[in-house]
Amino acid sequence: KSSPSYTPYYRVWNGSGWAPEQAATTFGSGNGIQWLVLAPKNGSQEIMLAAKTDTNDIYAQAWSGSAWGSVTTIETNAPCSYQCFDLAYERQSGDGLIVYREGNVDTPRYRTYSSGSWSSESSAGDVGADPAWVRLESDPTGERIMLAVLDENNDLNVQRWSGSAWGSNSELENAMESDVTRGFDLAYQANGTALIEYNEGGVEFPRYRLYTESTWGSEQTAWDIDGDIGWVALAANSTGNDIFSLIVDNENNELFLHKWDGYRWTEGEL
């Protein structure tokens, strides 16, 4: 809202319209909220909210369906201008997971959320450089959650949470265009196959890989957008294997929409 402000505001959709604006629980003092992330719990009214402030603090609070819970301080030293944290819920257990940057440490930190409480801090696998962008995506077929990190060396790293532990880290790309924008995204098909799409420095073709049977496939290429791939956003069909991809072309100020049908891409320009 107005700056500086460290109180998140919200409205609830009642099925036919938006309710009046209300304030959630105020986060600690600071210069304002920099990033907000919401994650819904499957089969529940619960929604988790996490926020990063300009003072490099990360906070979380849960929405019960009718009210906000107390605020938990997740981290007090996350020195990044970008979204260096993310939230997700395991689909079957309903436990939550937050992954975030701490200081100038190459190892992402994480906490789990169960029975209304956050765990103590632990570490995921080393990604080789300070995290700049963090993305989590839940596997619809189990407890697994995929983590992707773009680090400050422009490397794209991935590792999978099993529901209790992290698998090994894999570096899928070592020369992304930049860490200034999120030039990658993750999504799961309904059958449990993961898709990651990303840019590569100086290349006008989006790159992508598929994750099946605990293994990332080889790098493949979508179509030429004839521009600079600045931002990638994926949206999956919860009941099928098709995934929409929206790409921002920073060079020509254009938007491209294409669809993955589980086997191949179709293309288009908005």
Side-chain angles (χ1 to χ4, degrees):
K1 209 175 177 182
S2 59
S3 180
S5 174
Y6 37 87
T7 300
Y9 290 83
Y10 70 98
R11 296 173 185 262
V12 175
W13 176 260
N14 61 19
S16 59
W18 289 102
E21 178 181 87
Q22 299 183 68
T25 308
T26 297
F27 297 124
S29 61
N31 297 323
I33 295 172
Q34 191 176 40
W35 292 93
L36 288 170
V37 176
L38 291 171
K41 180 178 179 178
N42 188 44
S44 168
Q45 300 297 310
E46 183 175 286
I47 300 173
M48 187 64 69
L49 165 66
K52 180 186 177 296
T53 67
D54 287 344
T55 52
N56 296 329
D57 300 317
I58 297 175
Y59 300 96
Q61 57 182 298
W63 170 256
S64 67
S66 59
W68 292 100
S70 59
V71 171
T72 298
T73 301
I74 299 294
E75 176 58 53
T76 59
N77 182 25
C80 56
S81 300
Y82 313 124
Q83 188 193 320
C84 56
F85 69 100
D86 203 9
L87 288 168
Y89 279 94
E90 296 170 6
R91 291 294 178 92
Q92 293 182 352
S93 72
D95 291 343
L97 176 70
I98 186 168
V99 178
Y100 52 94
R101 171 173 170 169
E102 179 185 25
N104 295 314
V105 178
D106 298 351
T107 306
R109 307 304 193 194
Y110 76 95
R111 298 175 189 259
T112 58
Y113 183 80
S114 180
S115 302
S117 298
W118 286 102
S119 70
S120 59
E121 181 177 88
S122 297
S123 298
D126 192 328
V127 299
D130 299 344
W133 295 90
V134 174
R135 271 284 287 122
L136 291 174
E137 192 67 24
S138 301
D139 182 343
T141 66
E143 304 289 72
R144 297 166 294 274
I145 298 174
M146 193 68 73
L147 165 66
V149 176
L150 170 58
D151 67 35
E152 292 185 354
N153 285 343
N154 299 335
D155 302 325
L156 180 60
N157 301 270
V158 291
Q159 51 191 291
R160 191 182 71 167
W161 172 254
S162 69
S164 59
W166 291 101
S168 59
N169 183 73
S170 298
E171 186 177 273
L172 299 186
E173 176 58 55
N174 62 8
M176 289 190 65
E177 186 72 33
S178 169
D179 68 357
V180 175
T181 58
R182 200 194 72 198
F184 73 95
D185 204 8
L186 282 170
Y188 269 96
Q189 299 175 182
N191 64 6
T193 296
L195 169 73
I196 189 166
E197 188 176 24
Y198 53 94
N199 66 33
E200 180 181 346
V203 177
E204 298 177 344
F205 298 85
R207 306 297 198 189
Y208 71 97
R209 296 175 188 253
L210 296 171
Y211 184 86
T212 57
E213 299 179 354
S214 302
T215 303
W216 284 102
S218 60
E219 182 176 85
Q220 301 183 65
T221 300
W223 83 100
D224 188 351
I225 71 164
D226 194 24
D228 181 6
I229 302 168
W231 190 277
V232 178
L234 298 179
N237 181 346
S238 61
T239 60
N241 293 326
D242 47 320
I243 298 171
F244 277 106
S245 170
L246 184 67
I247 291 179
V248 178
D249 174 1
N250 285 349
E251 180 181 350
N252 301 305
N253 298 322
E254 295 177 335
L255 288 174
F256 290 86
L257 181 69
H258 58 295
K259 189 178 89 166
W260 172 257
D261 66 5
Y263 302 97
R264 62 188 67 82
W265 290 102
T266 59
E267 62 176 290
E269 180 179 343
L270 298 180

